[in-house]
Amino acid sequence: TRLQTVDLKGSTFIPSTIIDMLARSQLVEANRLQEKFRRNGKKVDAEVRGALIERMKEGVELEKDQEKVFKDLGELFDGEEGGWKPQKSPYEGVKMEIKYSQQKKGKRSIALGRAYGTADCTAEEAAAWYFEFCSRERMEIDRNAGNLARLEIRKGEGRQNEKLVASVRKFPLFTHNREFVNKLIWRKEEENSVSVAVWPLGDAIDYGGNIGK
């Protein structure tokens, strides 16, 4: 634990730019110490996933609104088998399909996509990795990709099988960056089977600054 107190005597007469520089220098030192004593990120992620996997094995009872999310997604992707066409996949071993659907006559059609793949792990391990949206590994991947934000929003106690997450993806020049705000919900279905639902939300997220959305 590092505690620090700074007394800038006569700070009323010190320009704000000087105070900002002093504050930044102290933050740099704090970050250096944090990196020095930081635990191995992969080990921490594994411990967090391990605890989550145990909860997934036990399962939880879904609330009515959570059940509706799974029902709506099931109808959206599996309710109508017709219309799905093969899509070229850039990933070996992953089958991809696309379907165009017109919601109302005269309106723009929307495109739906789905993919199938096999991972060399248990269902709980795969679901836990995906549910931990802000794990150290995934945060590092996001930073290396140059994306602008990735965070989990905590509201009160919350539900152990649900979380609200937000991200801002950096897009190429002359295109707008894209914001994604989703609700993640996991459920245990049958033995050795776990699902994670991703449901879009329209919540306004405070990122603490201008991110050029």
Side-chain angles (χ1 to χ4, degrees), residues 95-121:
K95 176 185 175 183
M96 302 179 72
E97 296 177 331
I98 193 168
K99 178 170 72 171
Y100 296 96
S101 175
Q102 190 174 47
Q103 293 178 304
K104 291 184 180 180
K105 190 174 181 180
K107 300 291 184 179
R108 289 184 178 180
S109 61
I110 60 173
L112 299 176
R114 64 184 184 184
Y116 304 88
T118 302
D120 185 15
C121 63

Side-chain angles (χ1 to χ4, degrees), residues 129-180:
W129 184 90
Y130 192 86
F131 191 74
E132 287 302 317
F133 186 80
C134 289
S135 68
R136 287 150 183 79
E137 177 190 9
R138 297 181 71 183
M139 291 290 286
E140 183 178 358
I141 292 172
D142 223 46
R143 284 193 295 270
N144 292 338
N147 291 321
L148 303 176
R150 186 185 188 93
L151 58 133
E152 177 182 336
I153 294 90
R154 301 181 183 274
K155 294 184 177 181
E157 292 297 323
R159 302 165 174 173
Q160 64 173 332
N161 69 323
E162 179 180 314
K163 62 176 60 176
L164 174 62
V165 298
S167 62
V168 179
R169 308 283 179 85
K170 188 176 181 180
F171 269 55
L173 193 63
F174 305 121
T175 57
H176 291 288
N177 297 322
R178 296 291 190 269
E179 180 190 33
F180 299 89

Side-chain angles (χ1 to χ4, degrees), residues 13-135:
F13 307 101
I14 300 177
S16 59
T17 52
I18 302 297
I19 295 177
D20 288 344
M21 290 176 59
L22 290 171
R24 286 197 195 97
S25 66
Q26 295 303 316
L27 289 174
V28 167
E29 175 62 13
N31 289 339
R32 187 190 70 80
L33 291 173
Q34 184 184 44
E35 285 298 322
K36 180 179 179 180
F37 295 105
R38 188 192 301 273
R39 291 185 61 207
N40 182 283
K42 290 185 177 180
K43 290 184 178 180
V44 175
D45 285 345
E47 291 174 4
V48 173
R49 286 197 305 271
L52 178 56
I53 287 169
E54 292 305 312
R55 292 200 298 271
M56 286 181 170
K57 289 179 179 179
E58 296 174 1
V60 296
E61 186 175 349
L62 297 187
E63 302 288 344
K64 287 185 177 180
D65 61 309
Q66 294 178 329
E67 291 178 348
K68 186 177 185 305
V69 167
F70 279 97
K71 180 176 180 293
D72 290 346
L73 287 174
E75 292 176 353
L76 181 65
F77 287 100
D78 300 320
E80 298 178 7
E81 286 300 321
W84 290 100
K85 297 180 180 179
Q87 181 80 355
K88 185 177 180 181
S89 172
Y91 306 105
E92 184 179 353
V94 177
K95 176 185 175 183
M96 302 179 72
E97 296 177 331
I98 193 168
K99 178 170 72 171
Y100 296 96
S101 175
Q102 190 174 47
Q103 293 178 304
K104 291 184 180 180
K105 190 174 181 180
K107 300 291 184 179
R108 289 184 178 180
S109 61
I110 60 173
L112 299 176
R114 64 184 184 184
Y116 304 88
T118 302
D120 185 15
C121 63
T122 66
E124 291 88 359
E125 288 171 339
W129 184 90
Y130 192 86
F131 191 74
E132 287 302 317
F133 186 80
C134 289
S135 68

